[in-house]
Amino acid sequence: MIPVSRTWSRRFVVAAALSLPLLSGCALQKLEAPKLSVVSLRLQSADILSQRVLVRMRVLNPNARDLPVKGISYRIEVNDTQLGQGLTNNPFVVPAMGEAEFDVQVTANLAGALARFLLRRGSQDSIEYRLVGEVALSSGFLRRIPFDERGRVRF
């Protein structure tokens, strides 16, 4: 056993006691999930087997600190039918109490879903959507924030 001086052990106890509030404050800082919404959907190309849709998304940060986003994994449903899923790995920062917009490409096979969508659409100029996934952060204690958002978008 290595002998430890009383002075060193007292310093250690004092340092640990002083740093405890700092550590607990960081650990207790709870991040709220960012709010994601679809700003627009734009059909880029389509054939019988697949369609490419450019989806413009907005992310709102309700937290008092910046969110350094490393990537987002997501699934998009339109009118209760899965449109597509994917990942974006273009990093960006959402400012504290602020917002940012980004584009994602979705490739989907809408053969059956398109027919249901057109039948349900009627004369509406907007559609219901659901976004499910998680935001991956590049720093901080909490590295993944799940989300599940619903809304309507005009097209």
Side-chain angles (χ1 to χ4, degrees):
M1 182 168 202
I2 300 173
V4 177
S5 72
R6 285 196 154 161
T7 304
W8 188 85
S9 60
R10 277 189 220 143
R11 286 182 187 161
F12 177 76
V13 169
V14 169
L18 290 175
S19 63
L20 189 58
L22 294 174
L23 292 174
S24 65
C26 293
L28 295 177
Q29 180 186 18
K30 183 177 178 186
L31 289 178
E32 285 186 55
K35 310 288 189 256
L36 276 85
S37 60
V38 173
V39 175
S40 65
L41 297 169
R42 198 170 3 159
L43 186 63
Q44 291 193 306
S45 64
D47 61 32
I48 256 183
L49 298 177
S50 69
Q51 298 76 37
R52 291 188 55 79
V53 179
L54 180 68
V55 180
R56 181 88 175 156
M57 291 191 196
R58 178 178 296 130
V59 59
L60 299 171
N61 178 7
N63 299 290
R65 74 173 187 100
D66 291 351
L67 289 181
V69 176
K70 180 169 65 173
I72 299 176
S73 62
Y74 57 89
R75 182 179 79 234
I76 300 176
E77 298 173 4
V78 174
N79 289 339
D80 298 322
T81 302
Q82 184 168 325
L83 174 66
Q85 61 186 15
L87 302 167
T88 178
N89 61 357
N90 296 328
F92 59 94
V93 175
V94 184
M97 307 302 281
E99 64 183 53
E101 290 187 2
F102 60 97
D103 293 323
V104 293
Q105 294 280 340
V106 175
T107 302
N109 182 351
L110 297 178
L114 189 57
R116 282 187 298 225
F117 168 71
L118 291 173
L119 288 173
R120 291 180 68 183
R121 179 176 170 220
S123 62
Q124 297 177 1
D125 63 350
S126 66
I127 55 174
E128 293 179 12
Y129 68 86
R130 179 180 180 208
L131 292 172
V132 180
E134 68 181 19
V135 175
L137 302 178
S138 61
S139 66
F141 288 108
L142 185 60
R143 293 296 181 114
R144 300 205 176 275
I145 304 173
F147 60 88
D148 188 341
E149 301 288 334
R150 292 177 181 271
R152 292 189 74 81
V153 64
R154 296 177 67 99
F155 61 93

